Amino acid sequence: MGYLSRSLGILTALIFVTATMAVAEERDPLKPRVPPDQIAEAKALKNPIPKTPENLAKGKALFEGKGTCFNCHGKEGKGDGPAGQILNPSPRNFTNCKFHKKRKDGELFWVIKNGSPGTGMVSLIPAAITEEEAWTIINYERSFCKEGTE
Ligand code: HEC
């Protein structure tokens, strides 16, 4: 009996470890998502929305409301929203300043418009938001990095 319960204990521990390892992770956030033949054009796009406090407040309201972004990306932008927790790869963690430094606004815009194939990030323009609202949210998403990116 002692042997059996010890084996069961080991088995339970193994299952636990395996389950923990299966927790989803972000797919390399520093690798571009825009296809090579479109990236130059995407990078050249300029965000038409100025980063005023009023516009940042609008971006926050859209992120936490109409845009539904918070469901996956989390209210704090860490990629840990209630729906995001079951996604693999997991949603972008916007508090990662290295990610922001690697991306131009136009690349973020491209993903919001076209989605990131093979992930839970689907096209949200025009399904959820307009182009102008996307640019407004991008400014807000940038503010999750507390180092300042520009
Ligand atoms: C259903 C879940 C879900 C929702 C809702 C969602 N996202 Fe995402 N988002 C993801 C996932 C998953 C990724 C990671 C995709 C990847 O790794 O390629 C992601 C990645 C991103 C990225 C990173 C793109 C890059 O270049 O790496 C941006 C920007 C983004 N989302 C913006 C938004 C905005 C803005 C909204 C709301 C309008 C939103 N997302 C709503 C799941 C979601």
Side-chain angles (χ1 to χ4, degrees):
M1 265 336 251
Y3 173 72
L4 184 63
S5 64
R6 216 172 329 131
S7 305
L8 278 176
I10 291 167
L11 195 63
T12 312
L14 265 176
I15 290 169
F16 178 75
V17 168
T18 317
T20 315
M21 277 164 47
V23 165
E25 279 185 28
E26 254 186 308
R27 194 177 285 170
D28 184 358
L30 304 185
K31 253 181 76 192
R33 294 299 189 265
V34 182
D37 62 328
Q38 293 174 54
I39 199 154
E41 200 186 325
K43 282 187 176 180
L45 285 176
K46 289 272 171 286
N47 191 333
I49 307 295
K51 281 190 187 177
T52 60
E54 292 77 22
N55 285 337
L56 285 176
K58 273 191 205 164
K60 179 177 163 67
L62 287 164
F63 185 89
E64 294 179 359
K66 187 184 174 201
T68 71
C69 322
F70 76 98
N71 276 327
C72 294
H73 292 280
K75 278 204 174 175
E76 310 290 320
K78 291 181 189 153
D80 60 353
Q85 289 175 18
I86 54 161
L87 291 177
N88 190 2
S90 43
R92 187 67 64 254
N93 173 1
F94 294 122
T95 66
N96 177 1
C97 296
K98 286 193 189 121
F99 162 74
H100 291 287
K101 287 187 184 121
K102 278 275 177 190
R103 293 280 203 284
K104 297 281 182 216
D105 280 6
E107 295 176 87
L108 303 186
F109 183 82
W110 189 98
V111 170
I112 300 169
K113 189 162 182 171
N114 299 284
S116 180
T119 76
M121 182 65 200
V122 297
S123 160
L124 293 167
I125 305 170
I129 51 172
T130 65
E131 296 202 344
E132 191 179 310
E133 286 169 338
W135 291 118
T136 306
I137 298 176
I138 288 171
N139 284 340
Y140 177 64
E141 283 177 346
R142 295 294 197 188
S143 72
F144 286 121
C145 158
K146 299 302 178 200
E147 269 174 26
T149 54
E150 281 151 297

